[in-house]
Amino acid sequence: MTNPYYAKAIEFLRTHDLAAMEPGKHVIDGDNLWVNIVDSKLKTPTEARLEVHDKYIDIQVPLSGPECFGVKARCECTRPVGEMNPDKDILFYADPVECIVSVRPGEDITFAPETAHAPLIGEGMIHKAIFKVKAI
């Protein structure tokens, strides 16, 4: 079954100038789909933490420069840091970042709930978009 919110996110991504959007949360379809435009400091792979979400799929789009992401199957993560925060839909892991994927500005990368990811790996600052898509 196709996720209609994912399809709507991809359509929004293709038809809007994300780099021109103001920082902050932009609601597209209530609690089902929104995009956060953020400016963040990049980290070393050692500083970056793997994270997972239960309720939402992440689509991340670096806008101002390249960004690297640590990637690991959730089922292979063994060192949770606390419990899942249901309000923020996030659980961090202390597992080391071993596999890194590089994404160029304007490209997108998707992380489903079964994939742990460590965003914000690189040097300097980054302007980026993070879509939160309700998983169904």
Side-chain angles (χ1 to χ4, degrees):
M1 172 164 83
T2 302
N3 182 325
Y5 309 120
Y6 186 83
K8 190 180 276 191
I10 296 301
E11 178 65 19
F12 189 93
L13 190 155
R14 304 266 186 260
T15 59
H16 288 75
D17 182 358
L18 300 176
M21 294 175 70
E22 291 293 321
K25 181 176 179 177
H26 301 267
V27 176
I28 301 166
D29 188 346
D31 290 338
N32 300 316
L33 173 62
W34 70 90
V35 62
N36 283 319
I37 305 295
V38 299
D39 293 298
S40 297
K41 185 178 184 309
L42 296 170
K43 307 170 185 181
T44 66
T46 305
E47 295 170 324
R49 296 193 303 168
L50 289 163
E51 63 185 60
V52 295
H53 312 290
D54 285 341
K55 300 174 191 169
Y56 290 92
I57 299 164
D58 272 9
I59 304 172
Q60 301 207 20
V61 186
L63 301 170
S64 63
E67 179 180 2
C68 293
F69 297 83
V71 181
K72 187 171 187 173
R74 183 178 187 161
C75 64
E76 295 175 4
C77 294
T78 60
R79 300 172 49 201
V81 178
E83 303 283 326
M84 172 62 74
N85 180 329
D87 294 330
K88 295 184 178 180
D89 188 39
I90 197 163
L91 169 63
F92 291 102
Y93 285 92
D95 295 56
V97 173
E98 298 167 339
C99 176
I100 296 177
V101 175
S102 182
V103 181
R104 294 184 297 224
E107 293 180 337
D108 59 89
I109 188 166
T110 299
F111 299 107
E114 53 274 351
T115 306
H117 55 286
L120 300 173
I121 297 174
E123 294 181 7
M125 296 289 294
I126 192 157
H127 184 66
K128 66 182 286 186
I130 306 164
F131 287 84
K132 301 300 278 188
V133 182
K134 185 175 184 177
I136 56 170

